[in-house]
Amino acid sequence: MTGQRQNLLQLKADLALLGTSFIWGVTFVVVQNALSSIGPYYFLGIRFLLAFLFLAAIYHRQLVRLNRDTLGAGCIIGVFLFGGYAFQTVGLQYTTASNAGFITGLSVVLVPVFSALFTRQAPGVFAATGVVLAATGLGLLSLGKELSFNYGDLLVFFCALCFALHIIMVGRYARHLHPPLLALIQIGVVSLAGFLFGLATETWPEQLSRPVWVALLLTAIPATALAFLIQNSVQRFTSATHTAIIFTMEPVFAAVSAYFLAGEILTPRQMIGCILILSGMLLAELKGKHIRTISKTSKEVQTGTL
């Protein structure tokens, strides 16, 4: 694959992942409204079930390609995905939304840490600096005046661990397995786990209210089926660290949608946070170009064409 084609594929992958973060960000308000009349586990179960059925209807002919490797990888990834949603939802009962937003964003820092542990290679200077800037931006955007560490914060920290491992596992398996089937299995796992936990801890609502239906329609297909299908399909063309930094745009899009849909206004500090997040993304891109330039120069030196 030529360098130019590789750059184009990575650009398309980054734009697709950015679109995914946009979808996740703008659904925050409608999901928050829906949870006032349905338990979080049942909501997750229904949301991911609808997404599963949607993908199954599209890719049912490819189910014959499902093998043990894809099934096993999808189950592993699905467990981490459900853990992220579950720990975050339960943790919100014991901590503030600002604390939860910042601690969840720590997955940005945890991804390169886990990547370094798995590959035994430390992240580069540009990537490390980009992660620090993005994490700082998340803090300015989401963190309140005081950060008190409590039981809820601990649960949300486990959420960040799960989301970071989800990104790592998708990057590990999506390169070698069938992306649609991989997305289908992990979404099915989350749905099943959501219903099981709902049966154990929640009461099924007498009826699904209009806000619940609106949230399900907006989240089941665009924010779940299509979003995770896109992630599983394109993440193989970019790095896990780069994916994590791009996903830090989710709270930015959430803040913008909250402004237009709920009248919330960003403070100057939060605006600075948005700028830092964008700067972190830019540094990650410059890091990739820097490495490709060094590689090209070394090859030219070896061949005597420089």
Side-chain angles (χ1 to χ4, degrees), residues 1-271:
M1 182 182 295
T2 64
Q4 184 176 3
R5 176 173 172 76
Q6 186 176 2
N7 291 344
L8 181 61
L9 286 174
Q10 180 171 349
L11 176 60
K12 290 181 178 180
D14 291 344
L15 291 176
L17 292 171
L18 186 62
T20 300
S21 359
F22 172 78
I23 292 172
W24 287 335
V26 298
T27 57
F28 176 79
V29 176
V30 293
V31 171
Q32 190 176 43
N33 293 336
L35 291 178
S36 61
S37 55
I38 188 174
Y41 290 125
Y42 274 133
F43 180 82
L44 286 177
I46 299 172
R47 168 183 172 176
F48 279 81
L49 174 61
L50 293 175
F52 177 85
L53 294 176
F54 175 81
L55 288 180
I58 295 176
Y59 295 105
H60 66 279
R61 294 183 178 178
Q62 300 185 29
L63 289 175
V64 294
R65 301 176 59 182
L66 182 63
N67 54 37
R68 183 179 299 179
D69 291 338
T70 303
L71 182 61
C75 288
I76 293 172
I77 297 173
V79 168
F80 287 122
L81 183 60
F82 174 74
Y85 279 103
F87 279 122
Q88 183 185 65
T89 304
V90 178
L92 279 170
Q93 298 177 354
Y94 303 98
T95 188
T96 64
S98 59
N99 282 22
F102 175 68
I103 297 172
T104 300
L106 289 178
S107 59
V108 176
V109 179
L110 295 172
V111 165
V113 171
F114 286 140
S115 295
L117 291 175
F118 292 153
T119 63
R120 298 182 180 179
Q121 293 180 353
V125 175
F126 282 92
T129 305
V131 167
V132 171
L133 285 176
T136 304
L138 274 169
L140 293 174
L141 183 65
S142 306
L143 196 60
K145 294 182 180 180
E146 297 180 358
L147 175 60
S148 55
F149 192 82
N150 55 32
Y151 178 63
D153 293 336
L154 180 62
L155 291 177
V156 179
F157 178 73
F158 285 125
C159 152
L161 287 173
C162 289
F163 280 140
L165 288 170
H166 175 261
I167 293 174
I168 294 290
M169 292 297 104
V170 170
R172 176 180 179 180
Y173 291 111
R175 299 175 186 271
H176 312 292
L177 301 174
H178 193 266
L181 292 181
L182 193 61
L184 186 66
I185 297 302
Q186 63 182 282
I187 287 174
V189 168
V190 176
S191 176
L192 178 61
F195 280 117
L196 291 177
F197 276 80
L199 286 170
T201 62
E202 298 174 355
T203 302
W204 182 263
E206 295 182 0
Q207 62 178 1
L208 298 181
S209 63
R210 182 176 179 179
V212 172
W213 280 114
V214 171
L216 287 173
L217 290 175
L218 290 176
T219 60
I221 308 304
T224 304
L226 295 180
F228 287 113
L229 179 60
I230 289 172
Q231 182 187 359
N232 281 268
S233 299
V234 307
Q235 190 178 319
R236 49 186 162 169
F237 300 116
T238 189
S239 68
T241 299
H242 207 172
T243 300
I245 294 177
I246 291 174
F247 281 171
T248 63
M249 283 298 294
E250 180 183 350
V252 177
F253 291 132
V256 172
S257 64
Y259 170 77
F260 286 104
L261 298 177
E264 297 182 8
I265 299 176
L266 287 173
T267 65
R269 185 192 66 178
Q270 291 173 317
M271 291 296 296

